[in-house]
Amino acid sequence: MYRITVLGAGNTGYTTAARLSLNGHTVTLGEIPAFAESISGIRNDKKILLQSPTGLEEVLINRVTSDIALAIKNADVILLTLPAYAHKSFANECAQYLTPGQIVILMPGTLGSLEFVRTLKAAGTTGITVGEVDTSPYVCRKTGVNKASIFGTVTHLGLGVFPAKDTDNVATIINSIFPGISKYTDVLECGLSAINPVIHPAGVIMNAGRIEYSDGEFYFYNEGVTTSVSIAIQAVDKERIQIGKALGYKLKPVNQAIHEAGLGPEGNLYHSIRGSKILTKLKAPGTMNNRWLTEDIPYGIATWSLLGTSLGIETPIMKSFIEIGSIVSGVNGWEKARNLNDLGINDLNVENLRTFLKTGEI
Amino acid sequence: MYRITVLGAGNTGYTTAARLSLNGHTVTLGEIPAFAESISGIRNDKKILLQSPTGLEEVLINRVTSDIALAIKNADVILLTLPAYAHKSFANECAQYLTPGQIVILMPGTLGSLEFVRTLKAAGTTGITVGEVDTSPYVCRKTGVNKASIFGTVTHLGLGVFPAKDTDNVATIINSIFPGISKYTDVLECGLSAINPVIHPAGVIMNAGRIEYSDGEFYFYNEGVTTSVSIAIQAVDKERIQIGKALGYKLKPVNQAIHEAGLGPEGNLYHSIRGSKILTKLKAPGTMNNRWLTEDIPYGIATWSLLGTSLGIETPIMKSFIEIGSIVSGVNGWEKARNLNDLGINDLNVENLRTFLKTGEI
């Protein structure tokens, strides 16, 4: 059992804090002061009502706090369950309190671990092992100020660690928290294996009319991921895989990733998504200004596309969804993109990049 | 009253043949032999049942034929109510039968008149005045082998004529057939003023999930052209207007065009479309492999985008819909595009182009 700090009190934060407490870990659920409102509903009694397929449980969280120093102190593992656009500010908030030997895992990361590392470095903080996983550990929703609902558990969370030479050690620990962990070569391979940016922008844009007409009141995966939407998602995926190939990775196609994560049956994308017993419970977002565009474009396909460009890989389909998504969400995906400079890898050739990812040194 | 030949027996062909017959014109409805099946339901009795807001009428068409020589002979005006991808083959079929002084109008053209002229020229046919209008004259559907339904009439059809020096003469004739004609500078300005390519690709792609989930069973304009879909359509429109500007045209924004065509109230695009009493009756196409993508991309926004590129105008949003539309419709918009060579204008600078459009000579 570990002392685990969960930072970020949204869908995944609430669910993870409750689930890991039930599993016997000593859990702190923390938020930075700016978002203290997110934990106001459980600050006093520290109880989360967790609805799961097996029933409703009241779960006591060991500590709930917006004091980051307190949240981080003595934690074995710090799990960041945050939107990607919050990674950098949390890195800045945490930098002075993190102590050598602590492990920080971004859930999911989508290359955010590289930005996190770069931010710690700028703050002079060293000796921290930073990792990221390829998707959220649970399919879940925060359903009230003290409630969360869990529809399914990802059975084979993929883990990337920086520096990659520490992967085995970190994976052993994370696997005892989230059983069934699979290991990526490094955080870059993991970040390129995120599922959300592959599915969300294409899916949302190609259901824009229905999302707005119905205020999101339909089952996104079951009703919205139709044949042509699957075709477009697979076209995004193909570009992603090409970028990976240029870096020497053999990335899993998204349908295989969905299946191996325990989210759906084996088969092509359409079959895997429509056959899912977990994803089918998720409704669509209600507007275009939502994280499936405002996060998964600038911190997902835009970052990938920029990486592709630096490698000479064309990404016309990603670019198309970035262009359209930018105008309909009101968030310019190119301007807000987590770019190669943010990742600290803009000046590296492929060889130096792989050395950096493995050793932490250039 | 005129001897009018309508070539093409689809939605617009059936409706136009019936409507103009009712108005007292002597109408021939023709098809090329390859599409003779389209007129099989009326070949014997030559009667079309026309449903309009004022009731059901049985209309006798003067002649129904798949003999193109017969169809064209003695016609004052030949109206082509065809998909854009049929323009060239009909030009080839008609070339040997057209006689000097005849007028051919593409309804709509989307720059097809330039391809038509080029095809006639290659066949050695001269003395034909070719024009095009900016949208179909009716909002209508062919509803059976001998039936058509008309929901509304476009009150201010825009007309472009090649060569443009003949515009006034031709407009006088066309205006007495379709009252309320407005004149464009030339066919290029008219072709850049088509409404369909502005609305359809963005509208269909951003409703892809619902179209496939419902087999098109929803009111496309009323339910599908929501806020963000309108935003995307306006972004396409803005690029189109920029292309026009580089050529010296002041193109009308699509919302103004819709209003002036009598299709909707004055106002912004969302207001104009949602307030329409005519467009609201139209359901969506049932699949992605339909003319709103397979015609309006390669013969609409792809042609415009190529023209834009030749003028140094960026069209990222058009390109985005071309890319996505190509993969989901199965028709590659770039490969199938009516390009500047097809239009016979690939080697012209802006000045020579305008001379050519005006005089018919380079």
Side-chain angles (χ1 to χ4, degrees):
Chain A
M1 295 302 117
Y2 292 96
R3 285 162 301 184
I4 299 170
T5 294
V6 176
L7 289 185
N11 296 322
T12 302
Y14 259 49
T15 306
T16 304
R19 191 68 254 169
L20 299 185
S21 294
L22 280 175
N23 291 355
H25 297 287
T26 304
V27 175
T28 295
L29 177 58
E31 265 290 2
I32 57 175
F35 299 115
E37 180 63 25
S38 300
I39 49 172
S40 61
I42 54 170
R43 197 187 261 279
N44 292 333
D45 68 2
K46 300 185 284 180
K47 284 176 188 162
I48 290 175
L49 292 171
L50 183 68
Q51 178 76 52
S52 76
T54 57
L56 185 70
E57 292 180 272
E58 186 180 84
V59 186
L60 182 67
I61 310 299
N62 182 61
R63 182 193 285 149
V64 176
T65 182
S66 57
D67 178 338
I68 291 298
L70 187 64
I72 287 179
K73 195 177 181 184
N74 295 325
D76 300 311
V77 177
I78 297 141
L79 305 176
L80 264 68
T81 55
L82 301 169
Y85 42 74
H87 288 156
K88 193 176 177 178
S89 55
F90 270 74
N92 276 317
E93 293 273 352
C94 297
Q96 60 178 307
Y97 306 118
L98 288 165
T99 51
Q102 285 189 309
I103 296 169
V104 175
I105 307 289
L106 279 56
M107 312 194 85
T110 326
L111 301 176
S113 49
L114 288 175
E115 188 180 35
F116 203 93
V117 165
R118 181 169 176 265
T119 309
L120 293 188
K121 201 169 177 179
T125 303
T126 55
I128 311 299
T129 306
V130 180
E132 65 179 65
V133 291
D134 51 5
T135 190
S136 294
Y138 306 107
V139 179
C140 59
R141 289 286 181 268
K142 180 176 179 177
T143 51
V145 294
N146 64 342
K147 285 181 198 160
S149 204
I150 181 169
F151 305 116
T153 300
V154 170
T155 51
H156 286 84
L157 218 47
L159 173 73
V161 175
F162 184 91
K165 63 180 171 56
D166 296 339
T167 301
D168 288 343
N169 295 339
V170 174
T172 303
I173 296 168
I174 302 304
N175 190 62
S176 68
I177 303 172
F178 300 102
I181 283 286
S182 65
K183 292 177 279 187
Y184 286 106
T185 310
D186 49 44
V187 289
L188 186 50
E189 185 183 31
C190 181
L192 280 167
S193 298
I195 294 175
N196 288 346
V198 180
I199 296 176
H200 287 165
V204 167
I205 288 166
M206 294 178 76
N207 283 284
R210 189 170 185 195
I211 285 172
E212 293 182 311
Y213 184 70
S214 74
D215 295 323
E217 274 301 315
F218 67 97
Y219 292 99
F220 179 79
Y221 287 95
N222 210 32
E223 304 180 7
V225 184
T226 55
T227 311
S228 71
V229 178
S230 298
I231 288 171
I233 291 170
Q234 284 173 302
V236 171
D237 204 45
K238 202 172 163 187
E239 293 178 353
R240 179 185 68 90
I241 289 168
Q242 283 302 112
I243 296 166
K245 196 174 169 189
L247 289 161
Y249 307 128
K250 192 169 160 36
L251 302 179
K252 270 178 241 167
V254 63
N255 52 319
Q256 195 186 329
I258 287 171
H259 171 62
E260 292 184 13
L263 296 175
E266 198 158 12
N268 63 33
L269 182 67
Y270 180 82
H271 180 254
S272 184
I273 283 184
R274 299 285 282 246
S276 169
K277 300 273 183 272
I278 298 167
L279 295 176
T280 45
K281 293 193 176 65
L282 293 179
K283 291 200 172 171
T287 69
M288 289 297 108
N289 185 252
N290 79 82
R291 283 176 57 185
W292 292 14
L293 294 185
T294 60
E295 178 177 1
D296 290 327
I297 291 177
Y299 293 84
I301 53 176
T303 308
W304 293 347
S305 179
L306 291 168
L307 184 58
T309 301
S310 79
L311 296 163
I313 305 293
E314 290 293 328
T315 54
I317 301 297
M318 286 185 189
K319 284 178 178 170
S320 297
F321 286 116
I322 296 165
E323 292 291 342
I324 299 167
S326 294
I327 58 167
V328 300
S329 71
V331 174
N332 187 311
W334 295 120
E335 285 174 13
K336 298 285 180 187
R338 180 146 64 189
N339 60 39
L340 303 194
N341 188 47
D342 296 325
L343 298 179
I345 60 171
N346 57 326
D347 288 331
L348 302 181
N349 63 27
V350 174
E351 196 186 339
N352 290 345
L353 176 58
R354 300 202 65 167
T355 303
F356 170 61
L357 294 169
K358 183 154 193 179
T359 65
E361 309 291 332
I362 298 178
Chain B
M1 295 301 117
Y2 292 97
R3 287 162 301 186
I4 299 171
T5 294
V6 177
L7 290 185
N11 296 322
T12 303
Y14 259 49
T15 306
T16 304
R19 192 68 255 170
L20 299 185
S21 295
L22 281 176
N23 291 354
H25 298 286
T26 304
V27 175
T28 295
L29 178 58
E31 264 289 2
I32 56 174
F35 298 116
E37 179 64 23
S38 300
I39 50 170
S40 61
I42 54 170
R43 195 186 264 279
N44 293 332
D45 69 2
K46 299 185 284 183
K47 284 175 187 160
I48 291 175
L49 293 171
L50 183 68
Q51 179 75 54
S52 76
T54 57
L56 186 69
E57 290 181 273
E58 187 180 82
V59 187
L60 182 66
I61 310 299
N62 182 60
R63 184 194 282 147
V64 175
T65 182
S66 58
D67 178 338
I68 292 297
L70 186 65
I72 287 178
K73 196 177 180 184
N74 296 325
D76 301 312
V77 178
I78 296 139
L79 305 176
L80 265 68
T81 54
L82 302 168
Y85 43 74
H87 288 156
K88 192 176 180 178
S89 55
F90 270 73
N92 276 316
E93 294 273 353
C94 297
Q96 61 177 308
Y97 306 118
L98 288 166
T99 51
Q102 286 189 308
I103 296 169
V104 175
I105 307 288
L106 280 56
M107 311 193 84
T110 326
L111 302 175
S113 49
L114 287 175
E115 187 180 35
F116 203 93
V117 164
R118 182 168 176 265
T119 309
L120 293 187
K121 200 170 180 179
T125 303
T126 55
I128 311 300
T129 307
V130 180
E132 65 178 65
V133 291
D134 51 5
T135 190
S136 295
Y138 308 107
V139 179
C140 58
R141 289 287 181 268
K142 181 176 178 177
T143 51
V145 294
N146 65 340
K147 285 181 198 159
S149 204
I150 180 168
F151 305 116
T153 301
V154 170
T155 51
H156 287 83
L157 218 47
L159 173 74
V161 176
F162 183 91
K165 63 181 171 57
D166 296 340
T167 300
D168 288 342
N169 295 338
V170 174
T172 303
I173 296 167
I174 302 304
N175 190 62
S176 68
I177 302 171
F178 300 101
I181 283 286
S182 65
K183 293 176 280 188
Y184 286 106
T185 310
D186 49 44
V187 289
L188 186 50
E189 186 184 30
C190 181
L192 282 168
S193 298
I195 295 176
N196 288 347
V198 180
I199 296 175
H200 287 165
V204 167
I205 289 165
M206 294 177 76
N207 282 283
R210 188 169 185 194
I211 284 172
E212 293 183 310
Y213 184 70
S214 74
D215 294 324
E217 275 301 315
F218 67 98
Y219 292 100
F220 179 78
Y221 288 94
N222 209 32
E223 303 179 8
V225 185
T226 55
T227 311
S228 72
V229 178
S230 299
I231 287 171
I233 290 170
Q234 284 173 302
V236 171
D237 204 45
K238 202 172 164 187
E239 293 179 353
R240 179 185 67 90
I241 289 169
Q242 283 301 112
I243 296 166
K245 196 174 171 190
L247 289 162
Y249 308 128
K250 190 168 159 42
L251 302 180
K252 270 177 242 167
V254 64
N255 52 320
Q256 194 186 331
I258 287 171
H259 172 62
E260 291 184 13
L263 297 174
E266 199 159 11
N268 64 32
L269 182 67
Y270 181 83
H271 180 253
S272 185
I273 283 185
R274 298 287 282 247
S276 169
K277 299 275 183 271
I278 298 167
L279 295 176
T280 44
K281 294 192 175 63
L282 293 179
K283 291 199 171 172
T287 69
M288 289 297 109
N289 185 251
N290 78 82
R291 283 176 56 187
W292 292 14
L293 294 185
T294 61
E295 179 178 1
D296 291 326
I297 291 177
Y299 294 83
I301 53 175
T303 308
W304 294 347
S305 180
L306 291 168
L307 184 58
T309 300
S310 79
L311 296 163
I313 306 292
E314 291 293 328
T315 53
I317 301 297
M318 287 187 189
K319 285 178 177 171
S320 297
F321 285 116
I322 296 164
E323 292 292 342
I324 299 167
S326 295
I327 57 167
V328 299
S329 72
V331 174
N332 188 312
W334 296 119
E335 285 174 13
K336 297 285 180 187
R338 180 145 66 189
N339 60 39
L340 303 196
N341 188 47
D342 296 325
L343 299 179
I345 60 171
N346 56 327
D347 289 331
L348 303 180
N349 62 29
V350 174
E351 195 186 340
N352 290 344
L353 176 58
R354 301 201 66 166
T355 303
F356 171 62
L357 294 169
K358 183 155 195 180
T359 66
E361 310 292 331
I362 296 176

